[in-house]
């Protein structure tokens, strides 16, 4: 409940904050109503972002339900048309466009993409219940009561799921079986213990325990259905996990919201890979004597580059000082950004570095965890994975991957001035629409862009070692796009994928296998990194050309980030418009 009132306060604050135009006032009220309605339509998503009013809801995925969703979207699209776009502020215009995308995209997912028929892993309640069990947003009794009524709806939910499935893919069926088995654990002994430990009355407790049993039966029944009825049919008539060119283009348009088509981005990625290989070989040649003395450089350029990468990867920190190394680098990055005047970093919002919490364990590396849009005052953490459980050789292999050079690039990407800095800016334009429907390609694109920008500005002293490792890292982003597009649109096989990732992008076998699996289960998401990066670089070039001498890197960064996590395409439209001489801000 606290969350709701907080939300209303924020919205009122924005709508009173200087907008005297009645139309813009209306738009703020409209957004508020829309978001609340949207959560009621999507209770699972709502719990996930920290809005818990609809936790007890679980809709059975029937045809009637889908019809209702589509008419919800159509009616809100009609309402959007009533606003005079030109009368809205730039921030509101982007909000409007993002809501429109979301609604059109939902309709497309239901009517055209239709994964409710072919992706059995769409049906899984584990995540939603996991949030309710672990979340500390409400007293245990309140959460258990909501869970109990959600459980009562599970039987109808999984029955409808079974009705929906028609000729699914083998890959998504296997995933669904695995994930639903995992969901069974959520209803295990620790949940039963917390029922006993709660202050609920005896009858309520008994009801809950019965509902837990029924919930487990519903999940088990779905697993049995997938294992016994669906799996045997898959050899003969499973659907190809490749969605094909036409569907891929459409999904790209809906998910990425780019100025380019998927095909155009794929072509750019192929060109970029070629250029990167050229640059990498140049750098390798330059350093060869230093690292290999008189040994002849192999004529196969990819082999030569690989040898150089391997030798540079030996420079890494000790397993016990992994976290200390990161802790030491963050202030160095901050100092560099300040010294070069690249971006204002709010000193009031320092990044808290912590050891990865136990529930995240296993995902080694480093990641940002940010508070959700309904938890404005929560801390942002930089989670650093521990190498404690690694054997000597596992640790060595991991440390070679995150060697002296790559670790710095990772910190740029995740923290400063990458994801973390973007997030601070994004929170300063407090639009719930932008944080809920934040554009993945913009968010990832920014982090990837900052890697390049920092090196261009001289981070790493322009050493060939740093640049070579940067290109290796950038090649990963580029090849994610090539892989995704080639697999879904050009029928790329697993062997061809391994050749791309291992031989041409210098990845470890295990990493490449994981990437292949991800490409079979998802579509388009792997393109987001390169697409966002490419579009930001293009926009920067356009503005440089337009402004000439007046172009200022810091202002570019700050203005770009001021739009929140909106698609680069919209930010571009606004920034190119805003760069007209008569509108230019003097700073
Ligand atoms: Zn070593
Ligand atoms: Zn990222």
């Amino acid at each position: 409940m606290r969350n709701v009132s907080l939300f209303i306060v924020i919205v009122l604050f924005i709508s009173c904050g200087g907008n005297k135009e009645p139309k813009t006032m209306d738009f703020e009220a409209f957004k508020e109503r829309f978001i609340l309605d949207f959560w009621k339509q999507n209770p699972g998503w709502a719990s996930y972002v920290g809005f818990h009013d609809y936790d007890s809801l679980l809709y059975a995925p029937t045809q009637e339900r889908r019809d209702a969703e589509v008419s919800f979207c159509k009616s809100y699209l009609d309402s959007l048309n009533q606003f005079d776009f030109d009368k809205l502020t730039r921030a509101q215009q982007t909000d409007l466009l993002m809501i429109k995308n979301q609604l059109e995209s939902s309709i497309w997912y239901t009517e055209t993409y239709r994964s409710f028929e072919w992706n059995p892993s769409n049906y899984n309640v584990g995540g939603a219940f996991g949030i309710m069990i672990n979340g500390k947003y409400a007293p245990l009794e309140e959460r258990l009561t909501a869970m109990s009524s959600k459980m009562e709806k599970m039987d109808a939910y999984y029955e409808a799921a079974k009705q929906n499935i028609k000729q699914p893919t083998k890959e998504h069926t296997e995933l669904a079986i695995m994930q639903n088995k995992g969901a069974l654990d959520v209803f295990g002994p620790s949940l039963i213990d917390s029922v006993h430990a709660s202050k609920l009355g005896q009858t309520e407790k008994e009801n809950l325990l019965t509902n837990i049993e029924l919930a487990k039966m519903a999940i088990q029944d779905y697993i049995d259905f997938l294992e016994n009825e669906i799996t045997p049919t898959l050899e003969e008539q499973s659907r190809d996990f490749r969605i094909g060119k036409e569907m891929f283009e459409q999904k790209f348009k809906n998910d990425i919201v780019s100025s380019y088509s998927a095909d155009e981005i794929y072509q750019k990625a192929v060109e970029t890979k070629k250029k990167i290989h050229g640059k990498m070989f140049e750098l390798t040649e330059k350093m060869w004597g230093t690292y290999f003395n008189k040994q002849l450089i192999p004529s196969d350029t990819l082999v030569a580059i690989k040898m150089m990468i391997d030798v540079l990867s030996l420079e890494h920190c000790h397993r016990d000082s992994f976290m200390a190394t990161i802790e030491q680098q963050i202030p160095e990055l901050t100092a560099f950004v300040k010294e070069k005047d690249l971006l204002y970093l709010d000193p009031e919002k320092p990044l808290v570095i912590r050891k990865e919490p136990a529930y995240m364990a296993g995902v080694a590396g480093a990641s940002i965890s940010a508070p959700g849009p309904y938890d404005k005052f929560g801390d942002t953490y930089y989670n650093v994975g521990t190498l404690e459980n690694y054997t000597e050789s596992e640790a060595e292999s991991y440390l070679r991957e995150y060697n002296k050079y790559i670790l710095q690039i990772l910190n740029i990407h995740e923290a400063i001035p990458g994801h973390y800095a973007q997030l601070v800016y994004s929170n300063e334009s407090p639009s719930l629409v932008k944080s809920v429907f934040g554009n993945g390609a913009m968010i990832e694109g920014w982090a990837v862009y900052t890697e390049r920008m920092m090196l261009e500005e001289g981070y790493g002293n322009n050493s060939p070692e740093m640049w070579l490792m940067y290109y290796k890292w950038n090649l990963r982003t580029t090849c994610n796009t090539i892989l995704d597009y080639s697999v879904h649109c050009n029928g790329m096989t697993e062997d061809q994928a391994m050749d791309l990732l291992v031989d041409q992008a210098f990845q470890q076998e295990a990493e490449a296998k994981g990437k292949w699996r991800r490409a079979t289960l998802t579509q388009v998401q792997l393109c987001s990194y390169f697409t966002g990066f490419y579009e930001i670089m293009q926009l920067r070039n356009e503005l440089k050309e337009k402004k000439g001498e007046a172009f200022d890197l810091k202002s570019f960064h700050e203005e770009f980030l001021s739009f929140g996590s909106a698609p680069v395409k919209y930010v571009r439209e606004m920034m190119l418009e805003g760069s007209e001489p008569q509108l230019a801000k003097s700073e």
Side-chain angles (χ1 to χ4, degrees):
M1 284 312 284
R2 235 185 88 238
N3 287 330
V4 185
S5 44
L6 176 64
F7 166 57
I8 291 167
V9 169
I10 291 166
V11 169
L12 288 177
F13 178 71
I14 303 165
S15 29
C16 304
N19 290 320
K20 306 223 158 43
E21 292 259 342
K23 270 291 172 197
T24 54
M25 280 286 277
D26 286 347
F27 186 67
E28 292 305 320
F30 166 84
K31 280 200 302 191
E32 184 188 354
R33 183 164 56 87
F34 166 71
I35 292 271
L36 287 172
D37 255 10
F38 186 83
W39 290 146
K40 198 167 184 185
Q41 293 291 314
N42 299 278
W45 190 348
S47 316
Y48 179 76
V49 299
F51 184 80
H52 295 286
D53 277 24
Y54 302 126
D55 276 2
S56 63
L57 296 182
L58 180 69
Y59 300 119
T62 58
Q63 188 55 48
E64 294 74 61
R65 179 72 214 143
R66 287 189 288 278
D67 292 344
E69 276 164 16
V70 169
S71 51
F72 168 87
C73 294
K74 287 187 173 160
S75 114
Y76 266 105
L77 281 170
D78 283 345
S79 314
L80 280 181
N81 284 331
Q82 290 164 15
F83 291 98
D84 184 347
F85 190 77
D86 296 330
K87 291 226 169 84
L88 301 175
T89 65
R90 295 210 297 188
Q92 289 173 326
Q93 288 177 339
T94 31
D95 277 352
L96 184 145
L97 293 168
M98 288 173 80
I99 295 174
K100 192 160 172 278
N101 278 336
Q102 179 57 42
L103 296 170
E104 286 171 347
S105 179
S106 294
I107 296 174
W108 178 83
Y109 271 95
T110 306
E111 292 184 342
T112 308
Y113 187 64
R114 300 178 73 83
S115 65
F116 62 86
E117 289 178 342
W118 54 262
N119 182 355
S121 75
N122 276 4
Y123 311 108
N124 175 11
V125 295
F129 279 99
I131 289 166
M132 294 165 80
I133 292 170
N134 298 319
K136 299 280 173 276
Y137 55 88
L140 175 65
E141 291 70 24
E142 204 178 297
R143 287 181 283 129
L144 285 173
T145 306
M147 283 168 76
S148 193
S149 52
K150 202 181 187 91
M151 287 177 208
E152 283 168 4
K153 302 173 182 95
M154 275 171 60
D155 189 46
Y157 172 86
Y158 278 111
E159 276 309 316
K162 282 157 66 178
Q163 298 298 320
N164 286 339
I165 292 167
K166 291 188 194 85
Q167 207 191 341
T169 79
K170 189 167 173 282
E171 290 73 13
H172 294 98
T173 306
E174 285 165 359
L175 180 69
I177 293 170
M178 197 184 84
Q179 289 183 338
N180 275 283
K181 281 181 177 168
L184 278 177
D185 294 343
V186 173
F187 299 90
S190 76
L191 177 60
I192 290 167
D193 287 348
S194 61
V195 173
H196 289 303
S198 75
K199 299 189 196 87
L200 291 171
Q202 199 51 37
T203 329
E204 283 166 301
K205 281 186 184 176
E206 274 162 25
N207 261 338
L208 243 164
L209 294 172
T210 311
N211 285 342
I212 292 174
E213 283 315 305
L214 292 172
K216 283 200 284 197
M217 278 165 65
I219 298 174
Q220 189 57 56
D221 181 60
Y222 184 58
I223 297 170
D224 291 344
F225 165 77
L226 294 176
E227 284 185 328
N228 304 331
E229 288 176 49
I230 296 297
T231 305
T233 68
L234 291 178
E235 284 315 317
E236 277 180 17
Q237 51 164 343
S238 75
R239 180 186 168 115
D240 189 353
F241 68 81
R242 295 173 174 84
I243 64 172
K245 191 167 162 35
E246 200 188 337
M247 194 74 98
F248 193 91
E249 279 292 356
Q250 291 180 29
K251 192 169 195 278
F252 185 89
K253 188 168 163 273
N254 280 292
D255 294 358
I256 305 265
V257 193
S258 164
S259 313
Y260 300 89
S261 69
D263 183 57
E264 285 168 328
I265 288 295
Y266 164 73
Q267 302 295 347
K268 289 291 164 204
V270 171
E271 274 170 38
T272 302
K273 183 183 74 155
K274 218 172 172 178
K275 276 190 208 153
I276 292 177
H277 279 163
K279 294 230 159 84
M280 289 178 96
F281 186 65
E282 247 174 60
L283 291 161
T284 299
E285 270 186 313
K286 196 167 165 183
M287 290 184 279
W288 191 263
T290 316
Y291 290 91
F292 291 95
N293 288 317
K294 300 234 163 359
Q295 192 181 334
L296 276 181
I297 188 162
S299 56
D300 184 332
T301 55
L302 294 183
V303 171
I305 297 169
K306 172 84 167 69
M307 285 172 74
M308 186 55 75
I309 288 173
D310 285 347
V311 114
L312 296 181
S313 301
L314 298 176
E315 290 180 60
H316 59 72
C317 64
H318 187 268
R319 62 185 293 170
D320 298 333
S321 59
F322 189 65
M323 181 146 165
T325 309
I326 291 178
E327 279 175 325
Q328 185 202 324
Q329 274 174 16
I330 301 298
E332 287 170 11
L333 291 169
T334 308
F336 184 86
V337 169
K338 260 191 212 154
E339 184 204 319
K340 298 277 175 174
D341 211 15
L342 301 175
L343 180 70
Y344 172 75
L345 297 171
D346 191 343
E348 303 283 300
K349 300 193 174 71
L351 178 58
V352 186
I353 304 168
R354 68 171 176 190
K355 200 170 113 180
E356 188 174 71
Y359 66 87
M360 297 175 84
V363 198
S367 65
I368 292 285
S369 64
Y374 289 97
D375 185 16
K376 289 244 162 228
F377 305 105
D379 282 321
T380 298
Y381 294 101
Y382 194 27
N383 308 303
V384 179
T386 158
L387 281 70
E388 280 161 19
N389 299 322
Y390 280 31
T391 64
E392 207 45 52
S393 74
E394 281 167 347
E396 177 63 22
S397 147
Y398 182 80
L399 292 165
R400 282 187 194 180
E401 185 63 31
Y402 290 95
N403 56 63
K404 177 179 155 189
Y405 308 102
I406 297 278
L407 193 56
Q408 297 179 64
I409 298 165
L410 178 75
N411 289 329
I412 293 173
H413 178 106
E414 295 292 340
I416 291 167
H419 286 315
Y420 175 68
Q422 192 262 325
L423 204 79
V424 173
Y425 273 83
S426 181
N427 287 340
E428 269 155 31
S429 58
S431 157
L432 205 52
V433 169
K434 290 189 187 76
S435 52
V436 170
F437 304 127
N439 180 270
M442 181 275 168
I443 294 167
E444 284 306 335
W446 169 260
V448 174
Y449 162 76
T450 60
E451 301 160 9
R452 165 73 60 93
M453 185 272 291
M454 288 289 274
L455 262 71
E456 283 174 346
E457 293 303 312
Y459 184 79
N461 299 319
N462 269 312
S463 77
E465 287 87 352
M466 193 72 184
W467 272 107
L468 182 76
M469 286 310 209
Y470 162 76
Y471 280 122
K472 184 201 173 208
W473 186 258
N474 194 247
L475 198 53
R476 172 147 94 177
T477 301
T478 311
C479 287
N480 280 345
T481 292
I482 300 178
L483 174 76
D484 196 13
Y485 188 88
S486 305
V487 164
H488 287 285
C489 307
N490 299 337
M492 179 182 259
T493 64
E494 186 169 357
D495 281 347
Q496 290 166 334
M498 286 297 143
D499 175 66
L500 172 74
L501 301 176
V502 176
D503 300 334
Q504 300 178 53
F506 317 106
Q507 295 179 8
Q508 300 296 317
E509 185 95 5
E511 185 192 349
K513 288 242 186 264
K515 212 38 95 47
W516 164 257
R517 182 172 146 76
R518 192 165 147 195
T520 65
L521 293 171
T522 69
Q523 320 85 18
V524 173
Q525 199 273 334
L526 279 169
C527 292
S528 58
Y529 309 82
F530 179 79
T531 309
F533 167 61
Y534 180 74
E535 290 197 89
I536 296 171
M537 291 296 280
Q538 289 297 106
L539 171 61
R540 195 177 74 171
N541 289 343
E542 272 180 282
L543 284 166
K544 270 184 183 170
E545 214 155 275
K546 194 164 180 166
K547 294 191 171 183
E549 288 291 296
F551 178 86
D552 175 62
L553 192 59
K554 187 184 190 206
S555 318
F556 167 69
H557 292 154
E558 291 173 357
E559 192 184 357
F560 180 82
L561 293 179
S562 73
F563 291 91
S565 308
V568 181
K569 177 184 169 174
Y570 299 148
V571 179
R572 175 181 174 272
E573 283 160 14
M574 309 263 170
M575 281 181 82
L576 286 174
E577 213 177 276
S579 69
E580 298 296 334
Q582 66 270 26
L583 291 171
K585 280 189 295 177
S586 50
E587 263 178 69

